[in-house]
Every structure is written in C-alpha cells, then in structure tokens.
Amino acid sequence: MFSVSGIQWRKKWPIAPNLEVAINVDGIPMAQTHRKRDFVPMWNSLLPLSAEGPTSVIGLHLVRHHTVGKPNTCAKGEIEIHQLLEMCGQGLDSKDVPIPLNAVGKDLEASPGLALIVRLARIGRDQVIEIAIADAVEDSAVLGSVPTSDLRRVTGFALQNSDSNLVSSLEGLLKILTSRLDVVVKIGGVIAKIHPFAELAYNVLTSVYDVVKKQQNTDQSIVQLVNTMVDVYSFTKDVNSLPDIERIEGVVSVIVQETARCALFIREYTAHGFAARLVGQIISQDTQTIQDFMAAFDKHKQSLDWALGVHIAFTINNARDIAQCSLEVAKDTQQLEILKNLNPVKMNSNRDGCLPGTRRDILSLIITELTKPVSANSQNVFWLYGVAGAGKSTIATSICQTFNALGLLGASLFFTRSNEASSPSFVIRTIAYSLAKSNTQMASEICLVMHRHPHIIDASIEDQFQRLLLEPLMNHARDHIRGPTIIILDALDECGDLESRRRLISLISNRFTTLPLLRILITSRPDLDIAAAFRKQSSIVKMPLDIATPSSLEDIRLYIDAEMMDVRQMHFSWDLDPTWPGEEKINALGTLAAGLFIWASTATKYLRNAHDPNDALDHLLKKGSDLDALYAVALQVQNSGKTGHLQSGLKLV
Ligand SMILES: Nc1ncnc2c1ncn2[C@@H]1O[C@H](COP(=O)(O)OP(=O)(O)OP(=O)(O)O)[C@@H](O)[C@H]1O
C-alpha cells in the first residue's frame, strides 16, 4: 500500500500534480503505481516485487508527470530488503512503515516528515490476480456504473482462468474502458457532437468485451492498445471536478472519434483477424495499424493534459484532418490521371447536418446498423424513407459527416432534381472513383480494369457495376479483412426520373446486396418505383422516418426553439423579450409543424424575413398547418412589399 506523508509543494498548482511511484530493485525498474492527480495522493496499490536476497536495495522515486515534457523525480529514497522486513514485522499483517524520502529538484520543500508509507504483504498467485483485477475495476465502481456482481464475476473469471492472464486482463481493461466511456456518453448528453461517436465506441467495445470473454488467446499488442486508451480516459475520473468541460470539448471529441475508429478496428481484429493472422495474411498491416493508434492516443493524451493543465484555448486538428491522416489515399499521380477517365460527378452535400440534440434515436440506430461487423450474409443496404420534408437529407448529412470523421466514408452522392449530375448513368462510376480515391488497393484494382476495358464508362450500368465495383471489391476483400466502408445515396427519388432510373433501382435492389465490405445508406421519399423494388427485397433493411412519434415532435420543438434565437437577433430593433415568443407559441408552432421539419424551417424563415415578427407570427398561427397556406401567407407578405429576403427562402421550398 502506498501513500505519501509530509508533502509540501513549493508552488500553488491550479490542479493537482500527476504523481506516480516508480520502484526499482538494485537499479532494475520493477513496478510503478498508477498515476494519481491529488495534492496528497493515496495509491493503495499492490505491487509485486522480486529480489536477489536480503541485501537487495529497493529504490523508490516519486515521479511527477507533466502536461508537456518529460516526467521528473521530485523525491526519492531507498531501503534494503532486510531493513524493510524488520520494520514491517516480517511481512505478516505488517504495519505501515514510512520510508524517508529526500526532495529532489524544485517541486517539494525538504521536510523531515516526507516519506512514502508502505506495508508488506505476503500473498499467493491467485490473490495477486484477484487484487490486481479488483484494483482495476475499482475505478469503474467509483464511477458507480458497474454493479458489484460484475466486479465479482470478473474476479471470479480471472481466478478460474488464471492460466490465461492475458485474456482476463484484457477483459478487465475493457471493462474499465467501457465504464469510462459510459461517463463520456453521459457528457455527450450535454455536448451533442461527442454523443454519436461515444455511443458507437461504447456499443462496439461492449461487443468486443463479450467476444474476448470467450477467447482463450489474445495479443499483447491489443492489451497494450486498450491499456493506452484506458490511460487516455483517466480524465473521466475527474469529470465532476473538471473546471468546465467545454474547455476540453474539442480534444475530447477528437479522442472519442479516434476511439470509435479504434473500437471498430479492434472488433474486426478480435473477431476475424485472429484466424487470418494464423495463416499469416495481414500481420504486418495490423501491427502498423496498432502502432498508429497507440501513437495517436499518446498524442491525444498530451493534448488533453495540456488542455487540462494549462488554461488556454486549445486548438487541435479538426476531426477531418485526423481521419485523413490514416486514410489510405491514392497518391500515385499516374493512377489519379487514369481514374479521372471515369468522369465522376460532384454531388456533395453542402448543407448542415441535424441540429445537435435532434434525431438522436434514428442517428444512433443508423450508425449501429452501418457499423455492424462485416460478414458474408449480413444485410448491407439500408433504406431510410419518409415523406417530403421529414428531414431525411439532413439525417444523411449528419451520417456523412460522422463517417467522414471516422475515415470510413467511401462515397456520398446527394441527388437534387435541379442538378444535371443527378443522373443514374453517373452513379456507379462516381462511386468507383470515390472508393479508389480513398483506398490504394481499390485504386490499383480499378486502374487495372480501366486498362483492360478502356471503354468501360460507355458500357451499361450493369457492366460498370460488375467490373468497377463487384470484381475489384471481391479481389480487395479476399486480402483485407477490414471494417465497413460507407456509401450514402441521398434522395434517390431525385436521381433521374421514373424511366431513366429503372435499371439503377433494379441494380440496387438485386445486386448491391452482394457487394462485399460496403454498407449502403439510401434515403428517399417512398416513390412507387423505389418502394415496389425495395419492399420485396429481404436483404434491404427498411427504416421508416415516422414524423408522428413523440421524439420527432420534440425534435421539431427543439429546432423551433433554437431558430427563434435567430429570429430575435434579426429583429433586434423590436427589443423582443429573450424568451419571445414564449413557450406556448413555440409549442403551438410545433403542433402545426406536425413532425414536418420543412414546415418548421419555412415558418421560421418567414418569421426571420418578415417586417413585423409579432404580426407574422399571428398570421402563421391563424393559417394552420397546411403547407400551401404557409406559402400563401409568406407570398402575401412578400407581395405587399414588406420583405425583400423571403423569395430565396421560398425557392428552397
Ligand atoms: N434535424 C434537423 N435539424 C435541423 N434542421 C433540420 C433537421 N431536419 C430537417 N431540418 C430542416 O428541414 C428542412 C427539410 O429537411 P430535409 O431536406 O432533410 O427533408 P427531406 O426529408 O430530405 O425532404 P425531401 O424529401 O423534400 O428531400 C431542411 O432544409 C433543414 O433545414
């Protein structure tokens, strides 16, 4: 057991220094306590030591870790084993013993009372395991998120399987990591941009935990990786005392995104990777990936320590940059030149995603579905359908942003009727081009196809599908067991017309389900041709976007409430009350919207652009929920010359 007595810091720190005790025996490093952020730390750790004999010297260093830079020893002491045994009473139920320390450097006052308090314990191997694991899950229990029965079960498991220390320690580490992530999921309840990633990482790691429990073998490298993540998440222990969580929001959000990506990797690795490694297929690539993740987490830890310890605004590469770092990009310029011959079109979304805090359930459901482990017979096409203006494209935009940040986005095509590029004939080759751009293996495969079939872009879309997508993906999948790559096709009903998209719809419903590695999210209105083709296909997962659910109605209310801030700002000269137009009227508008975001967005645009916001609001409430009536009110005001900005809003509708 370790604590420290007589500690007097020379400086006043804004937060407690990060301390550990490092122990060596005869100069050989033996063990260290976990790091503790406390002005007077109590580690309470059990540290197994072994020594040559009674004259071996135990060296103890009190080490301070910094937010940046190397750790330094701030006090040290030493004692011979036989002295320690005498002081402790031969180790049987021994008493606390102070080992005097000398202050080193400028951190601590030299004080005669400065000492590490230790106690000897003589224990068996099983007890070592039991204590180590109980110690490991203690943190989770402190967080209140792990029931005691779980604690006992983990310990029990370790004892029964004391030959497979590695597995049990990975299991214990995963348990801590998920309980720490649970804290972050709860923080994500407040900071919406963290939430989807934290929830994804939590769900995936929980499933890894279930797999690991059953495995007899695992890799030391994965144990180290999870250990590194556990270390990064130590900040969750201080959540209640953190000065203000917003200050570290940027760093935490990057960490959580990295964790989600890493969790997906670990799941693939533990589920499929082990068998593949046995036949020696992907070992070097995985080793590199694990090292990259460890390096990234170390970097994030430094950023976090920096943000926690130094009270300055901290700017970090945005998530996109981080994702791009590990994305395999087709760098070969020659390859890029060949790929350009695919004549891809740009159909990116330039709109905003969901207002933070809205659409949580459906976003979480879609993310979970899209990230399920890839297996030969899993469903891989997901169709989100709903009436006009329900909010499908906004959801697709959020999903696109999420997977782009995770580095898992293969292609995204946002069709719009007014854009000539929204033609079925461009779809397959644009997907192929995007996939090639994001993955070097796919780039090589597709370039090979283009070399063999120089006129492939003039071929039928069925041929293009076979040669540019199916065959390259099959070849690619044989050698690379990796997480899913996401393809998004938004507003399929706006891609061409009934006649021109007939073959594309048939291709999607009959052949896309055979594509390995890809997960495809399609959104559309339930137009007859699309509904008829997808309805009968059991391998397509159908997700209705129901506008009448309580959560949809609550989301709209949240949205209107948020938009009113803009309306008040726009009409600052009216000196509106900060709560204008009041809860009752916001609820009335929410009821009129009846789950249709397009109604809410048109109505709030109308209020923003009106001359007299009170007058406009009364008009709106009188006219009821009919969209036509809403447009009529809007046009009436515009024709009377009271607004000059409304037309653009109406065009959008
Ligand atoms: N979760 C949301 N948060 C903020 N705004 C939203 C949200 N959902 C929808 N909106 C707003 O409502 C408008 C309509 O939404 P969206 O275009 O996503 O609907 P849609 O179902 O795709 O419609 P359509 O079928 O006509 O394409 C958008 O312009 C957007 O401003």
Side-chain angles (χ1 to χ4, degrees):
M1 180 178 74
F2 277 93
S3 62
V4 64
S5 68
I7 196 161
Q8 286 171 33
W9 294 102
R10 286 196 171 152
K11 267 196 210 160
K12 262 191 178 281
W13 305 109
I15 54 169
N18 209 358
L19 291 176
E20 73 177 11
V21 178
I23 301 164
N24 64 66
V25 177
D26 295 329
I28 302 165
M30 276 283 167
Q32 64 216 42
T33 60
H34 51 276
R35 291 180 205 169
K36 194 89 188 167
R37 254 190 207 284
D38 219 328
F39 287 107
V40 185
M42 285 262 300
W43 292 277
N44 233 356
S45 302
L46 186 102
L47 303 168
L49 299 180
S50 60
E52 289 285 331
T55 53
S56 288
V57 178
I58 301 180
L60 300 147
H61 287 225
L62 183 62
V63 179
R64 182 174 158 225
H65 286 264
H66 296 266
T67 48
V68 277
K70 286 187 177 162
N72 70 293
T73 299
C74 43
K76 63 182 178 182
E78 55 182 36
I79 191 165
E80 286 186 13
I81 295 269
H82 68 95
Q83 288 175 314
L84 186 60
L85 288 172
E86 276 163 23
M87 289 164 80
C88 293
Q90 299 301 311
L92 294 169
D93 290 318
S94 82
K95 53 184 191 272
D96 288 352
V97 168
I99 300 180
L101 293 180
N102 295 317
V104 179
K106 297 176 191 156
D107 285 324
L108 291 174
E109 295 288 358
S111 142
L114 185 59
L116 275 175
I117 312 295
V118 303
R119 177 188 279 186
L120 279 191
R122 186 177 291 168
I123 52 175
R125 183 166 170 274
D126 282 353
Q127 205 185 343
V128 170
I129 294 170
E130 185 171 359
I131 291 171
I133 292 183
D135 195 25
V137 287
E138 181 213 26
D139 295 340
S140 325
V142 168
L143 292 167
S145 50
V146 177
T148 337
S149 60
D150 261 4
L151 213 146
R152 263 192 233 109
R153 197 179 50 70
V154 172
T155 315
F157 176 88
L159 288 174
Q160 285 157 25
N161 297 275
S162 49
D163 280 332
S164 53
N165 290 345
L166 217 49
V167 176
S168 54
S169 74
L170 179 58
E171 190 190 359
L173 286 167
L174 280 167
K175 193 80 192 162
I176 302 172
L177 185 56
T178 48
S179 68
R180 288 182 182 180
L181 265 168
D182 192 31
V183 176
V184 180
V185 172
K186 282 172 192 144
I187 302 172
V190 185
I191 303 169
K193 72 177 178 185
I194 293 176
H195 194 262
F197 299 103
E199 197 177 49
L200 172 64
Y202 178 85
N203 291 341
V204 171
L205 284 171
T206 308
S207 72
V208 173
Y209 174 76
D210 290 338
V211 171
V212 164
K213 269 190 322 198
K214 295 179 198 129
Q215 279 185 351
Q216 288 305 307
N217 285 300
T218 190
D219 283 287
Q220 187 59 37
S221 51
I222 288 290
V223 176
Q224 277 174 1
L225 176 58
V226 177
N227 208 351
T228 310
M229 290 158 86
V230 167
D231 190 32
V232 172
Y233 278 88
S234 348
F235 78 93
T236 55
K237 293 197 285 184
D238 296 327
V239 159
N240 290 333
S241 59
L242 288 177
D244 54 316
I245 193 79
E246 283 79 15
R247 192 156 48 76
I248 56 167
E249 178 187 325
V251 190
V252 172
S253 117
V254 172
I255 291 173
V256 173
Q257 286 177 18
E258 190 82 52
T259 310
R261 294 176 56 230
C262 186
L264 289 165
F265 165 77
I266 292 176
R267 188 180 60 188
E268 291 297 323
Y269 185 88
T270 45
H272 307 285
F274 192 67
R277 282 194 310 285
L278 284 181
V279 291
Q281 274 184 337
I282 54 171
I283 189 149
S284 66
Q285 195 189 345
D286 280 344
T287 307
Q288 186 58 48
T289 307
I290 291 170
Q291 279 170 5
D292 290 348
F293 272 126
M294 301 241 305
F297 278 115
D298 278 343
K299 202 173 119 212
H300 298 327
K301 173 88 170 100
Q302 267 183 23
S303 309
L304 189 61
D305 284 349
W306 179 259
L308 279 171
V310 186
H311 292 222
I312 57 166
F314 188 77
T315 50
I316 186 150
N317 300 339
N318 67 30
R320 200 192 173 91
D321 293 343
I322 299 265
Q324 291 298 331
C325 288
S326 52
L327 207 66
E328 297 163 17
V329 180
K331 291 196 189 82
D332 188 325
T333 44
Q334 218 182 349
Q335 261 186 357
L336 276 175
E337 282 310 307
I338 298 173
L339 290 170
K340 276 188 194 150
N341 292 329
L342 284 169
N343 277 348
V345 285
K346 268 196 179 292
M347 276 182 268
N348 298 337
S349 168
N350 52 6
R351 58 172 86 198
D352 289 332
C354 299
L355 172 76
T358 62
R359 298 304 196 196
R360 284 205 165 165
D361 296 349
I362 189 81
L363 288 173
S364 162
L365 176 77
I366 296 172
I367 291 171
T368 306
E369 287 292 344
L370 292 179
T371 52
K372 277 193 175 156
V374 177
S375 69
N377 52 4
S378 57
Q379 293 170 303
N380 69 331
V381 178
F382 303 85
W383 178 40
L384 176 72
Y385 63 94
V387 295
K392 305 174 294 295
S393 297
T394 313
I395 291 172
T397 303
S398 282
I399 295 289
C400 184
Q401 291 165 347
T402 301
F403 283 99
N404 195 23
L406 291 171
L408 294 176
L409 187 67
S412 64
L413 281 70
F414 285 78
F415 303 111
T416 42
R417 231 178 291 282
S418 53
N419 182 356
E420 274 181 20
S422 293
S423 156
S425 56
F426 295 132
V427 171
I428 304 297
R429 48 190 155 115
T430 300
I431 296 177
Y433 178 80
S434 292
L435 283 174
K437 285 265 292 185
S438 63
N439 185 296
T440 44
Q441 264 93 27
M442 277 298 284
S444 311
E445 294 285 348
I446 292 173
C447 284
L448 211 63
V449 172
M450 294 182 65
H451 183 69
R452 286 194 201 126
H453 307 275
H455 301 295
I456 188 70
I457 67 162
D458 299 322
S460 67
I461 59 167
E462 290 82 0
D463 268 3
Q464 288 182 16
F465 172 84
Q466 179 73 23
R467 298 198 194 285
L468 291 173
L469 290 184
L470 190 62
E471 287 171 7
L473 279 164
M474 288 283 191
N475 293 339
H476 179 54
R478 249 203 332 259
D479 300 333
H480 299 275
I481 302 164
R482 274 289 161 272
T485 298
I486 310 302
I487 306 289
I488 296 173
L489 304 181
D490 175 66
L492 188 59
D493 53 287
E494 298 194 35
C495 175
D497 55 30
L498 261 182
E499 207 38 52
S500 64
R501 69 169 171 253
R502 205 157 49 88
R503 282 173 35 210
L504 177 66
I505 301 291
S506 155
L507 196 64
I508 293 174
S509 66
N510 298 316
R511 308 281 308 277
F512 269 42
T513 48
T514 61
L515 286 172
L517 301 178
L518 298 189
R519 292 189 169 258
I520 302 131
L521 174 69
I522 297 169
T523 74
S524 81
R525 297 182 190 174
D527 284 9
L528 259 185
D529 59 330
I530 302 173
F534 289 0
R535 199 175 45 90
K536 61 178 196 299
Q537 213 17 296
S538 62
S539 49
I540 295 181
V541 181
K542 289 114 196 149
M543 307 187 200
L545 182 58
D546 192 345
I547 56 169
T549 60
S551 70
S552 281
L553 300 176
E554 179 51 29
D555 285 347
I556 298 250
R557 225 201 64 82
L558 250 175
Y559 172 74
I560 295 175
D561 202 16
E563 288 289 293
M564 285 305 163
M565 226 153 50
D566 265 9
V567 176
R568 287 193 295 267
Q569 245 169 31
M570 197 75 165
H571 295 290
F572 64 93
S573 58
W574 289 79
D575 214 11
L576 298 170
D577 189 87
T579 56
W580 185 93
E583 203 177 325
E584 203 178 312
K585 289 195 172 159
I586 289 181
N587 285 344
L589 286 173
T591 309
L592 289 178
L596 279 182
F597 263 98
I598 190 67
W599 194 97
S601 114
T602 312
T604 50
K605 242 174 234 145
Y606 164 63
L607 290 177
R608 249 198 315 270
N609 291 294
H611 171 68
D612 177 343
N614 286 306
D615 207 24
L617 182 63
D618 288 345
H619 254 70
L620 214 49
L621 291 171
K622 260 191 234 136
K623 283 288 171 183
S625 65
D626 185 355
L627 259 181
D628 289 342
L630 171 61
Y631 303 150
V633 172
L635 282 169
Q636 211 181 336
V637 176
Q638 194 204 6
N639 289 339
S640 71
K642 285 180 181 167
T643 173
H645 310 286
L646 187 64
Q647 207 165 9
S648 57
L650 287 172
K651 269 189 196 152
L652 284 175
V653 180

